[in-house]
Amino acid sequence: MYARGLGGVNVPALRSHNAALVLDLLRTAGEAGISRLELAERTGLTPQAVSKITARLRAEGLAVEAGHRASTGGKPRTVLRLVPSAGYAVGVHLDRDELTTLLTDLAGTVVALRSRPVDLGEGAGPVLDAVTGEVRALLAARPGSGEAAGAGSGYAAGAGPEESVAAGPEESVAAGPGESVGPVLGIGVAMPGPLDHRAGVPGRVTGFPSWDGYPVRDELARRLGLPVVLDKDTNAAALGLALRPAAPGSFAYVHLGTGLGAGLVLGGAPLRGDRTGAGEFGHQTVQLDGPPCGCGGRGCLEVLCLAEVVRGELAEAARILGTGAANLVRLLDIDQVLLGGRVVLGAPEVFADGVREVLAGLGLPTPVVVATAPQAVAVGAAWLVLAPIFGQ
């Protein structure tokens, strides 16, 4: 990632790389913007190279001048900012029992959101029918389509009372003065693992073996006519969280919902592993000869933790979760443990305090924080599409 010390290169063949560096700085600068001189200082590019790149970005509608900033000497500096409406991405969180779809702008701001029940056990055909329908409804209500998301009865066309839809802040939906509404760049899909990120196919999802090897990415691309990226739910969430301003360089995002997994970020980038199977946090054995797990093992962290959740023993579930988190901290020496998922968000203090207590008891001072965004996975799925634009 740029923030971890990747600099610009003054070589014509790397023009797109340099443009991505500049775009990422425009993204992280937000509405305040950033001057060309600051861009040159931060990237290591020459002022001439920055001027050429920013002129091209402005011509392509990705950047716009946003006023002036006082300088220590000479004339005020012109400030540039990213144009969020220049492009959009769809994020899909396909959970075991719920489907969430959302639309973000180029800055990652959610501008429309839909959710409905789904049963992964119904099989790939019916579930992908639901995904296709939800994405099409979302795109029909996107900025510039002539239909406002969430208008009228509060449901999108064809949505029933169990299919909620909402629009984001009005100012994030509309383009600014002189700005046009850009295209939808692709669809990011996040689902439980294990899966092959490169091939775009799930593996033996715990409890749902029929998904093993199904071409989810290619099938959705065929149906929807847009590029599709498939990744594990925890990896997607970790990517989105890693792209926050001032995010720690290394952390584990531990997700407790219908299952238990982790997204690992090391050196500012998600760690997927050579076979994209890293982060199967819930299937580390913590009790030899323990209860059987759907993965085929015994005494897995997931089966033990979820059993306590079912019993309503959340403090004990937090203690078990803390034991697994401690293993990660000692193995990877990470800067932070981030907790998320619907179970955690239902009792955030119980889980944060429980995990902290386990770490403290082992002499591990690693901070434990709850990722409070309820759509962290779906937003992260959208970043699967957006991140490469910014060189991430």
Side-chain angles (χ1 to χ4, degrees), residues 84-85 88 103-106 109-112 143 167-175:
S85 62
Y88 295 85
L103 187 72
T104 74
D105 62 20
L106 199 59
T109 301
V110 177
V111 299
E170 185 177 350
E171 62 269 22
S172 67
V173 174

Side-chain angles (χ1 to χ4, degrees), residues 19 38 63-64 91 113 125 128 133 136 168 198 219 222 245 302-303 308 312 322-324 337 353 360 369:
E38 290 171 299
V64 67
L113 169 70
L128 294 189
R136 284 176 176 163
R198 296 190 186 98
E219 176 62 15
R222 182 190 68 80
E302 178 178 284
V303 70
E308 298 302 329
T323 300
V337 174
D353 290 346
V369 179

Side-chain angles (χ1 to χ4, degrees), residues 103-142:
L103 187 72
T104 74
D105 62 20
L106 199 59
T109 301
V110 177
V111 299
L113 169 70
R114 295 176 61 88
S115 64
R116 55 158 288 177
V118 74
D119 180 3
L120 215 58
E122 292 183 352
V127 172
L128 294 189
D129 286 344
V131 174
T132 301
E134 288 295 286
V135 171
R136 284 176 176 163
L138 193 72
L139 295 181
R142 79 180 182 92

